[in-house]
Amino acid sequence: GTHYGRLLSIMIRSRCQRMLDPHDRLELFVITAKLRIYHSLGFGFLFGSYTGAWLSFWMNVSGLYVPAGISAFLGVLYLWDRKALQMRQHEVEGQRSLNPQQADEVCALLDRTALLLGELGQQPAHGAELPHIRDVLQSLQTSLAERYRADADVNL
């Protein structure tokens, strides 16, 4: 119930996802992931209960062993394959993470650019250079924002 309330609150606050900020986007992702899990568990419970009750009509109390056996089989299958699933998850997360060396290079480039802009600000104004630099930086900012938003939308 509380997750539906949080979901409704975000939907109202963001005007049905038209004005989502990054915090709300992340919270929406977490809430929907949790709701998917809760719905899967609820469906599994109800389906197993119904199937067991239906089979108990034909097989008496032994009919309840069928859904229990299916659950046990899937649990053992998960335990048997858990390490492979965890390793696969770490591989996927490793592909998404930043390379520290590349991140350091980008930070160094940004520092050098900031120093150059500081030196440019101390020199006499050159009419055409500053608007060109501003346009290049705005283009960079726009492309980074579009890429960030595209990655965030894919993760949702």
Side-chain angles (χ1 to χ4, degrees), residues 6-64:
R6 289 172 56 199
L7 181 65
L8 183 63
S9 169
I10 291 173
M11 296 300 270
I12 291 171
R13 187 173 54 223
S14 68
R15 293 175 176 77
C16 294
Q17 296 186 6
R18 282 188 228 134
M19 301 174 65
L20 274 176
D21 63 2
H23 180 283
D24 286 341
R25 186 181 307 267
L26 182 62
E27 189 173 1
L28 186 66
F29 174 73
V30 170
I31 291 170
T32 54
K34 285 182 179 182
L35 285 174
R36 269 189 239 123
I37 291 170
Y38 294 155
H39 287 151
S40 297
L41 289 172
F43 174 77
F45 174 77
L46 291 175
F47 182 74
S49 298
Y50 177 77
T51 304
W54 185 76
L55 287 174
S56 72
F57 179 74
W58 300 102
M59 301 171 58
N60 295 326
V61 177
S62 301
L64 297 175

Side-chain angles (χ1 to χ4, degrees), residues 13-137:
R13 187 173 54 223
S14 68
R15 293 175 176 77
C16 294
Q17 296 186 6
R18 282 188 228 134
M19 301 174 65
L20 274 176
D21 63 2
H23 180 283
D24 286 341
R25 186 181 307 267
L26 182 62
E27 189 173 1
L28 186 66
F29 174 73
V30 170
I31 291 170
T32 54
K34 285 182 179 182
L35 285 174
R36 269 189 239 123
I37 291 170
Y38 294 155
H39 287 151
S40 297
L41 289 172
F43 174 77
F45 174 77
L46 291 175
F47 182 74
S49 298
Y50 177 77
T51 304
W54 185 76
L55 287 174
S56 72
F57 179 74
W58 300 102
M59 301 171 58
N60 295 326
V61 177
S62 301
L64 297 175
Y65 292 131
V66 174
I70 293 171
S71 294
F73 173 75
L74 292 175
V76 169
L77 185 66
Y78 170 75
L79 286 175
W80 178 65
D81 204 29
R82 181 178 52 157
K83 284 291 183 190
L85 290 171
Q86 287 175 344
M87 290 178 67
R88 177 69 182 136
Q89 180 182 7
H90 289 303
E91 288 175 10
V92 169
E93 288 173 357
Q95 292 170 355
R96 290 184 184 169
S97 65
L98 292 175
N99 181 347
Q101 183 181 4
Q102 290 176 339
D104 289 341
E105 288 175 14
V106 170
C107 287
L109 284 170
L110 288 173
D111 288 340
R112 287 193 300 260
T113 304
L115 287 173
L116 287 172
L117 287 173
E119 290 175 8
L120 180 65
Q122 294 173 357
Q123 295 178 0
H126 298 296
E129 289 183 22
L130 200 53
H132 175 69
I133 292 172
R134 185 191 67 225
D135 292 343
V136 168
L137 290 175

